[in-house]
Amino acid sequence: MPSDSHRLTILTAEEIDDLFGFPRFTDEDRHLYFDLSKPERAAVDAHTVSVATHLILQFGYFKAKRQFFYNEHNNVSEDLRYILERYFPGRNEESIKPPSRPTRLAHQQIILKLFDYHLCDTAAKNDLERKAQRIAMLSTQPVYILREMLQHLTNQRIVIPTYTFLQDMVGRVVTYERNRITQQLDQALTSEVKTQLDTLLKADEQVYRINALKREPKDFSHYELRREIERRKFFQPLHEFAKSFLATAGISNESGKYYASLVKFYTIYKLQRMAAATARLYLLCFAYHRFRQINDNLIEAFIHLVDKYENQAKQAAVDAMQRALIDASKNLKAAGAVLALFVDNEIPGDASFASVKEKAFALLEPERFPIVSNYMCNIEFDKVGFEWSHYTKLSSTFKRNLRQLFSNLDFAGRVEDAPLLEAVVFLQDLLRQGKSPRQTNPSLFPVTIIPKSLQCYLFAKEKGKKKQLNVDRYEFLIYRLLRNALEAGDVFVKDSIEFRRFEDDLISDARWQDKDAVLREIGAPILLTPIKETLKTLHEKLEARFDAVNQRINNGQNAHIKVNGAADKRRWTLIYPSAEESVNNQFYSKLPGVGIADLLWFVVGDTGFLSAFSHVLDRYVKHDPDPREILASIVAMGTNMGLWKMAEVSGLSHASMTTTARNYLRLETIRAANDAITNATATLPAFHLYDIQDTLHSSSDGQRMETQIDTINARHAPKYFGLQKGVSAYTLVANHVPINAKIIGTHEHESHYVFDLLYNNTSDIKPERHSTDTHGTNQVNFWILLTFGYFFAPRYRDLHKKMDALVGFKHPNEYGDFLIKPSRKTYAELIEKEWPTVQRIMASLAQKDVTQATIVRKLASYTRQNQTKKALWELENICRTLYILEFIDDVELRQCVQKALNRGEAYHRLRRAVAFVNGGKFRVKTEDEQQLWNECSRLITNAIIYYNTVLLSRVYEQKLAAGDQEALTILKGVSPVAWQNVNLFGSFEFNPSTSKVDIDALVAHYADPAYWSNVQEPPLG
């Protein structure tokens, strides 16, 4: 494979130093790493003091970094002094001579043997390169390949080679993989596909074809969906070719998405200038993924529109029923007068019925009689009948909008779904042939799919004729049943991302053949443990918890539960002590304001987050970015100001800012920059002051954001947006720091993204306990989070509603007079039977081929009554029961949960203050832009939190050294979520030479002990 003299930039300088830099020990580190085991002590005792000292030195360095270092470095004297004082008292440092090369090599062999490690020799390097080649087939992201290589070396217990060696190897395998794929593509391309790919880069009436095809629909209007369908037709032949080629070439879904994403960032000019084979590869991957995204968009539109028309019909029925009741009630008085005619003595007994009828009609109009008589006979208004009559009125509307979607999608299902699929295929064939269903013989329609309860509304019978099918109503019934089946997972679309068959989301059969290796790679202990052992442990915990909870209630130890009534009529309520943490604490009121540009430059200097912004062209870029333009672009997007306005107020060029933003600001770089700030925050002394019960306790919640421009993921939510549309910014917050975030639609359930955010958190902050409100709970989250090592601790809006879901390993009657007891016995046998499939589903969640949210959504909302789903939900019930019992019993847990959720709310207030321009509304055109602008807002808030945490850390260290316990207690309650000391408005100067942050001067404000005597202590808890 060819090598490239220009090495890839993979890691930041800090990351390189962390991995390969010389160990720098504190006294605590020296005590840990220079401690000798018996075999190590025996090896040391076999040498002279001078040689033994250096051997101990290498023992410590190898334990710390699994690499070899020698004392040609100038910073080993402290370590040598410690070793001499501990192991050879009385010997001075001058008597210790540097070891010779043969001695150093001998030390290596001793260490390698004792630690069962090996050098990275030629054979190991060749094996590593083959491993890197396989990794590159999964993803050509250099940092991903490097991390997997390092993990491989650790697993094989091989000493890590130099960083430059690894750089060169990564560069070779990336180049080789791209060459391999492009060569295969060149051989596989047909002339038709080649022509179509090349056409994408040609102008059509001054508009490049690829630019038109990149556009996404703004909403679900007829015009937007019509254009999306046209794009689908263009991509379809390319998708069919790509589906076959990508599988043959062994390109992973992750690599394919990466190549496709490059098309969004490269300009037409750059795509035209690069090698034709490379450009075609990128375009083909883009066509493949765009086609599947289009299918998802069309299905989402189909479901949304069917919901919309169904809701309209139901509302029309409700309105009609209200009108009918009002009309009937208005005539009740007259109806009473009509009834009085039967006992009127003035009417002779032999009077004709006609004369009585005439009097009755004088009291109540004839057409009113059916309304009143139906009302009086308590015959309910036929709401369902009115709904279906309303579908007839809507027929022209739903035909215009739904037919184009329905006829352009290919649906599939299981054997039991055959009746629905038969009707779908029949209707699709008519529409695709351009035939009108109304003009088709009604007897040809498959009618077994019509439920008996609806047959009276879909068939009309005329005198002397057979029942006639109402074709318009039948058509909408098929759309409605298809909507239900798509949401339930019973019917799917093969070439889709979100709506494909559930089994396609799971680990492939070929990979699952080596099940044990897959599970070991994931490293989740609960999946490796036999299920009988796990159930036994859960059984013991659950029964012990039921006993303890009820005992503490009975003897009055649980003072925060109030029980009323007696015997079977006992009722209980929980008291929820508050756990408030203030934002914009008075601590910050003494500080002079700092401009956002100055603050960002300060954070850049401390964290180096600007190094995360690599050029989209990787190694091929010939100049460094202007850091002022990167910072200005971040602030422009993060505050919703936009690049045009930022150019006006900052004095920077709009054109150059646009170029910088296009080349450097993308999701992967802005997330890496956020991680750099987050990781730096986690190292500050004050960070762990925010631990809750000495635990890193996170929370996640959504913040509604109105969209000024329609996007396909924006939805109406009257509660939040009135008549407008919006999205939700779902954020994971730990110790006040926003460590991950994602934009989701307001129609999407937040619980589907809880595990996604936790598992795909790439920062160094790893939560142990996680809380959500009720929206974060579903039928699988307790079990999933337990599997991957998280303790799930939600807050339920109404805990009493969950009491019926409590389960136990014994029959409820065996729990006697317990106040809190299960409603049924759990199905342990079912869990044991389905355990292999449960393992496969959990393992699939750990892979990157499909987003975790997609699998969780299907698991949580899967209506098909299969045994695996029941087993998963049963595991969830056990985990939920354990938690609810602890939640009832432990007031501190309830307080911790509330505290964690409060921190999420505090972050939302800070983010709202940051994204202040345009009323906080998104004004971007695509979902990708929403994600990017939200990440920029998160970066600014991260920077503010880091800045405040630095201040708090410096003051904390100052007060700790002074032994000022009163100030230390107060500091623990001061949140870093504050912005009263940050100027988010005004002009923006991004020149680093103008940065005026003097952290020492700011900390000096808090040196006077008298200041702290006037500051209130934080609330308890």
Side-chain angles (χ1 to χ4, degrees):
M1 292 182 291
S3 62
D4 196 321
S5 60
H6 186 82
R7 291 191 175 107
L8 289 170
T9 300
I10 306 175
L11 301 177
T12 65
E14 292 80 6
E15 289 171 328
I16 296 169
D17 184 65
D18 184 55
L19 278 171
F20 300 96
F22 192 84
R24 290 180 287 274
F25 287 165
T26 63
D27 287 339
E28 187 178 345
D29 293 333
R30 293 185 185 100
H31 182 75
L32 173 66
Y33 291 118
F34 293 136
D35 188 49
L36 300 178
S37 65
K38 286 184 179 180
E40 293 164 3
R41 186 68 201 228
V44 167
D45 290 343
H47 295 85
T48 65
V49 172
S50 185
V51 173
T53 302
H54 283 285
L55 180 56
I56 296 172
L57 196 69
Q58 296 312 311
F59 273 136
Y61 293 165
F62 191 83
K63 290 175 187 176
K65 294 213 170 182
R66 294 300 190 262
Q67 296 173 67
F68 294 111
F69 301 89
Y70 294 99
N71 63 357
E72 59 263 30
H73 300 278
N74 296 323
N75 51 352
V76 301
S77 58
E78 290 293 327
D79 297 335
L80 284 173
R81 191 175 301 117
Y82 174 86
I83 293 170
L84 291 172
E85 289 176 358
R86 180 170 179 179
Y87 293 104
F88 309 106
R91 301 298 294 264
N92 56 49
E93 192 176 340
E94 289 74 18
S95 65
I96 306 302
K97 305 300 181 185
S100 63
R101 188 171 185 275
T103 301
R104 293 201 306 267
L105 294 176
H107 286 176
Q108 279 190 16
Q109 294 306 313
I110 292 170
I111 292 170
L112 291 171
K113 184 177 180 180
L114 282 174
F115 288 90
D116 191 24
Y117 259 74
H118 312 279
L119 290 173
C120 194
D121 55 18
T122 302
K125 288 176 180 176
N126 291 337
D127 181 58
L128 181 63
E129 188 141 351
R130 287 190 293 271
K131 172 74 174 177
Q133 289 174 22
R134 294 193 297 273
I135 296 168
M137 293 179 70
L138 297 175
S139 173
T140 52
Q141 293 276 25
V143 68
Y144 173 77
I145 297 172
L146 179 64
R147 285 172 179 164
E148 291 296 314
M149 289 166 64
L150 293 172
Q151 186 61 48
H152 171 76
L153 291 168
T154 301
N155 293 341
Q156 297 300 314
R157 305 185 74 81
I158 297 172
V159 178
I160 299 173
T162 63
Y163 177 58
T164 54
F165 173 84
L166 295 174
Q167 274 182 299
D168 291 340
M169 184 177 287
V170 172
R172 285 197 303 273
V173 298
V174 168
T175 301
Y176 174 80
E177 177 63 14
R178 291 186 182 178
N179 289 341
R180 180 187 73 84
I181 296 169
T182 52
Q183 287 170 9
Q184 285 193 28
L185 179 60
D186 195 49
Q187 294 171 2
L189 278 175
T190 64
S191 57
E192 293 81 5
V193 173
K194 188 182 295 185
T195 300
Q196 194 170 7
L197 289 171
D198 293 343
T199 302
L200 289 170
L201 300 181
K202 294 180 180 177
D204 182 9
E205 297 180 0
Q206 305 306 313
V207 177
Y208 285 100
R209 178 68 63 88
I210 188 62
N211 282 344
L213 293 170
K214 284 181 189 178
R215 293 174 187 160
E216 297 179 8
K218 296 186 297 184
D219 49 36
F220 294 143
S221 64
H222 178 82
Y223 173 74
E224 289 293 329
L225 293 174
R226 181 77 258 162
R227 295 183 67 184
E228 190 77 337
I229 289 168
E230 290 170 359
R231 289 188 278 264
R232 182 184 185 276
K233 289 178 179 176
F234 178 88
F235 282 129
Q236 188 161 16
L238 289 176
H239 175 267
E240 292 305 311
F241 173 82
K243 186 161 62 170
S244 172
F245 170 74
L246 295 177
T248 304
I251 301 176
S252 71
N253 191 52
E254 192 70 19
S255 285
K257 285 194 291 187
Y258 174 66
Y259 293 141
S261 69
L262 295 177
V263 175
K264 295 183 178 181
F265 295 108
Y266 283 123
T267 63
I268 297 295
Y269 174 76
K270 289 173 183 174
L271 286 167
Q272 290 171 334
R273 297 271 303 201
M274 68 175 55
T278 303
R280 287 169 184 156
L281 172 65
Y282 296 166
L283 291 168
L284 185 69
C285 291
F286 176 78
Y288 176 83
H289 286 277
R290 184 73 177 95
F291 180 82
R292 291 178 172 234
Q293 181 193 21
I294 288 171
N295 279 344
D296 279 351
N297 290 344
L298 298 183
I299 297 168
E300 287 277 9
F302 180 83
I303 291 172
H304 172 77
L305 291 173
V306 172
D307 285 345
K308 176 182 175 182
Y309 300 139
E310 186 176 37
N311 290 334
Q312 285 180 2
K314 288 181 176 179
Q315 187 58 49
V318 169
D319 293 343
M321 182 180 71
Q322 291 298 325
R323 289 195 300 271
L325 293 177
I326 291 171
D327 288 344
S329 62
K330 284 180 180 178
N331 295 291
L332 282 178
K333 185 176 181 180
V338 171
L339 290 174
L341 295 175
F342 289 92
V343 292
D344 190 346
N345 294 326
E346 295 182 5
I347 299 177
D350 57 352
S352 67
F353 179 71
S355 63
V356 176
K357 188 177 179 181
E358 183 180 352
K359 289 189 176 200
F361 285 161
L363 296 169
L364 182 65
E365 297 173 0
E367 60 270 18
R368 299 286 181 183
F369 267 81
I371 297 173
V372 177
S373 62
N374 284 342
Y375 181 78
M376 294 177 70
C377 292
N378 198 28
I379 297 175
E380 292 185 3
F381 180 85
D382 190 356
K383 286 176 63 178
V384 177
F386 196 92
E387 281 180 34
W388 284 98
S389 66
H390 193 76
Y391 291 136
T392 302
K393 296 178 183 178
L394 288 173
S395 61
S396 60
T397 303
F398 74 67
K399 287 176 188 177
R400 182 171 183 265
N401 292 319
L402 292 178
R403 279 181 176 179
Q404 61 175 349
L405 306 174
F406 174 75
S407 59
N408 278 283
L409 291 166
D410 297 314
F411 302 100
R414 297 171 175 80
V415 175
E416 57 266 40
D417 302 310
L420 173 59
L421 291 174
E422 180 188 1
V424 166
V425 170
F426 176 83
L427 198 54
Q428 281 185 326
D429 286 344
L430 290 180
L431 297 175
R432 288 171 178 174
Q433 295 173 35
K435 296 180 181 179
S436 169
R438 272 189 178 180
Q439 296 174 359
T440 302
N441 185 349
S443 64
L444 298 177
F445 285 74
V447 295
T448 56
I449 194 65
I450 303 176
K452 287 185 179 180
S453 60
L454 297 181
Q455 289 180 1
C456 60
Y457 306 116
L458 269 72
F459 289 96
K461 186 176 181 181
E462 298 180 15
K463 289 183 179 180
K465 294 183 180 180
K466 292 184 178 180
K467 288 183 178 180
Q468 189 78 11
L469 180 68
N470 185 316
V471 175
D472 288 349
R473 295 185 185 184
Y474 175 87
E475 182 177 345
F476 191 79
L477 173 67
I478 300 304
Y479 294 155
R480 200 168 76 169
L481 293 174
L482 181 59
R483 182 272 316 271
N484 295 342
L486 284 167
E487 289 186 324
D490 296 343
V491 171
F492 48 87
V493 174
K494 292 180 180 178
D495 299 323
S496 166
I497 301 170
E498 295 290 330
F499 295 93
R500 63 179 178 173
R501 192 173 61 130
F502 178 68
E503 289 75 6
D504 294 335
D505 292 329
L506 303 183
I507 286 177
S508 66
D509 292 339
R511 191 177 173 207
W512 192 240
Q513 285 179 352
D514 195 0
K515 167 184 169 181
D516 292 340
V518 172
L519 293 177
R520 283 195 301 271
E521 183 182 329
I522 294 168
I526 201 168
L527 297 180
L528 293 165
T529 305
I531 185 57
K532 287 189 176 181
E533 290 184 23
T534 300
L535 288 175
K536 181 182 177 183
T537 302
L538 291 173
H539 181 181
E540 293 170 353
K541 284 185 178 179
L542 198 55
E543 297 310 320
R545 190 73 56 81
F546 271 118
D547 287 338
V549 168
N550 283 280
Q551 185 176 350
R552 281 172 47 78
I553 292 173
N554 291 337
N555 62 25
Q557 286 180 285
N558 188 343
H560 294 89
I561 187 169
K562 299 300 179 185
V563 182
N564 298 312
D568 294 338
K569 295 183 178 180
R570 286 186 297 172
R571 296 291 182 269
W572 55 270
T573 55
L574 277 178
I575 299 173
Y576 292 80
S578 63
E580 294 293 331
E581 283 186 310
S582 63
V583 297
N584 275 328
N585 190 283
Q586 59 175 316
F587 170 88
Y588 302 97
S589 62
K590 293 284 186 179
L591 297 175
V594 58
I596 190 63
D598 291 341
L599 185 148
L600 287 172
W601 274 118
F602 170 77
V603 177
V604 167
D606 268 22
T607 68
F609 74 80
L610 280 178
S611 62
F613 292 98
S614 60
H615 196 283
V616 72
L617 296 181
D618 291 333
R619 74 183 89 175
Y620 306 108
V621 63
K622 297 180 180 178
H623 57 82
D624 293 328
D626 185 338
R628 297 175 306 158
E629 292 174 352
I630 289 182
L631 293 179
S633 298
I634 290 170
V635 175
M637 296 177 182
T639 61
N640 288 331
M641 184 181 296
L643 297 181
W644 272 110
K645 185 65 177 177
M646 178 55 72
E648 291 179 11
V649 299
S650 66
L652 297 172
S653 163
H654 174 262
S656 60
M657 281 178 60
T658 301
T659 302
T660 296
R662 166 180 282 277
N663 289 335
Y664 292 95
L665 265 67
R666 46 193 196 280
L667 278 179
E668 64 180 272
T669 59
I670 193 72
R671 283 173 177 161
N674 265 306
D675 282 351
I677 302 173
T678 295
N679 296 343
T681 305
T683 64
L684 295 172
F687 177 74
H688 284 291
L689 294 178
Y690 310 123
D691 289 351
I692 302 175
Q693 280 190 335
D694 297 322
T695 299
L696 198 51
H697 191 154
S698 62
S699 67
S700 57
D701 194 16
Q703 182 179 25
R704 311 299 178 178
M705 313 294 296
E706 189 176 325
T707 52
Q708 190 171 2
I709 301 172
D710 281 344
T711 55
I712 197 164
N713 65 330
R715 294 289 193 281
H716 288 291
K719 178 180 177 181
Y720 303 103
F721 313 125
L723 298 176
Q724 306 306 314
K725 291 182 180 180
V727 294
S728 181
Y730 197 57
T731 308
L732 173 63
V733 175
N735 280 21
H736 296 291
V737 181
I739 58 178
N740 203 2
K742 188 178 184 68
I743 294 293
I744 64 175
T746 51
H747 63 293
E748 297 183 89
H749 206 282
E750 291 179 357
S751 68
H752 301 161
Y753 294 88
V754 173
F755 175 70
D756 199 332
L757 285 184
L758 281 166
Y759 189 71
N760 293 303
N761 160 39
T762 52
S763 77
D764 292 342
I765 299 176
K766 304 299 181 185
E768 304 158 69
R769 180 189 284 168
H770 183 75
S771 292
T772 69
D773 58 16
T774 306
H775 295 296
T777 62
N778 55 34
Q779 294 287 358
V780 290
N781 271 355
F782 270 106
W783 170 252
I784 290 173
L785 266 62
L786 173 67
T787 299
F788 290 92
Y790 304 102
F791 179 84
F792 188 37
R795 180 194 64 194
Y796 289 106
R797 181 182 303 145
D798 191 344
L799 188 62
H800 280 86
K801 291 182 179 179
K802 298 297 177 184
M803 290 299 104
D804 291 339
L806 297 185
V807 297
F809 282 83
K810 298 185 297 187
H811 191 277
N813 292 340
E814 297 183 52
Y815 291 88
D817 61 349
F818 279 6
L819 177 66
I820 310 293
K821 62 183 179 180
S823 59
R824 63 171 177 82
K825 183 179 178 181
T826 192
Y827 307 127
E829 297 82 4
L830 175 64
I831 296 171
E832 292 179 22
K833 177 185 172 185
E834 294 297 320
W835 179 243
T837 310
V838 171
Q839 286 177 301
R840 185 174 183 176
I841 292 172
M842 294 299 104
S844 301
L845 276 169
Q847 64 179 359
K848 301 288 185 178
D849 281 350
V850 63
T851 64
Q852 284 74 24
T854 299
I855 294 182
V856 174
R857 174 180 63 81
K858 293 179 180 179
L859 290 175
S861 58
Y862 205 39
T863 58
R864 179 176 293 279
Q865 295 298 311
N866 65 41
Q867 297 300 299
T868 303
K869 184 213 75 170
K870 289 180 180 179
L872 261 173
W873 288 19
E874 198 64 10
L875 285 165
E876 176 78 4
N877 289 333
I878 296 171
C879 297
R880 186 194 301 114
T881 300
L882 279 166
Y883 171 70
I884 288 176
L885 291 173
E886 184 174 354
F887 191 80
I888 291 171
D889 195 47
D890 190 346
V891 64
E892 290 186 358
L893 173 61
R894 300 199 295 275
Q895 193 170 4
C896 291
V897 170
Q898 187 61 52
K899 195 171 190 177
L901 292 172
N902 287 345
R903 290 176 175 182
E905 293 296 332
Y907 166 75
H908 287 167
R909 294 197 288 275
L910 172 57
R911 190 203 174 285
R912 184 73 71 184
V914 166
F916 62 92
V917 181
N918 197 40
K921 300 175 187 175
F922 274 129
R923 52 192 185 97
V924 292
K925 298 178 181 178
T926 67
E927 184 177 351
D928 285 344
E929 289 177 306
Q930 289 172 355
Q931 300 284 6
L932 182 61
W933 283 44
N934 185 56
E935 285 296 313
C936 288
S937 295
R938 182 164 77 96
L939 188 143
I940 296 171
T941 59
N942 249 326
I944 293 171
I945 290 168
Y946 174 82
Y947 173 77
N948 289 337
T949 308
V950 168
L951 284 171
L952 290 166
S953 295
R954 294 289 293 275
V955 176
Y956 172 76
E957 289 180 312
Q958 180 190 82
K959 297 303 174 185
L960 188 64
D964 189 343
Q965 292 301 320
E966 181 182 3
L968 291 173
T969 302
I970 295 170
L971 276 170
K972 290 180 180 180
V974 179
S975 166
V977 178
W979 59 96
Q980 64 176 339
N981 56 322
V982 182
N983 181 10
L984 295 165
F985 304 88
S987 62
F988 295 86
E989 296 290 340
F990 288 96
N991 192 327
S993 64
T994 65
S995 181
K996 307 177 184 64
V997 175
D998 185 345
I999 202 74
D1000 294 318
L1002 295 174
V1003 172
H1005 282 276
Y1006 304 100
D1008 186 359
Y1011 166 81
W1012 297 93
S1013 62
N1014 297 319
V1015 178
Q1016 293 182 350
E1017 289 191 16
L1020 294 175

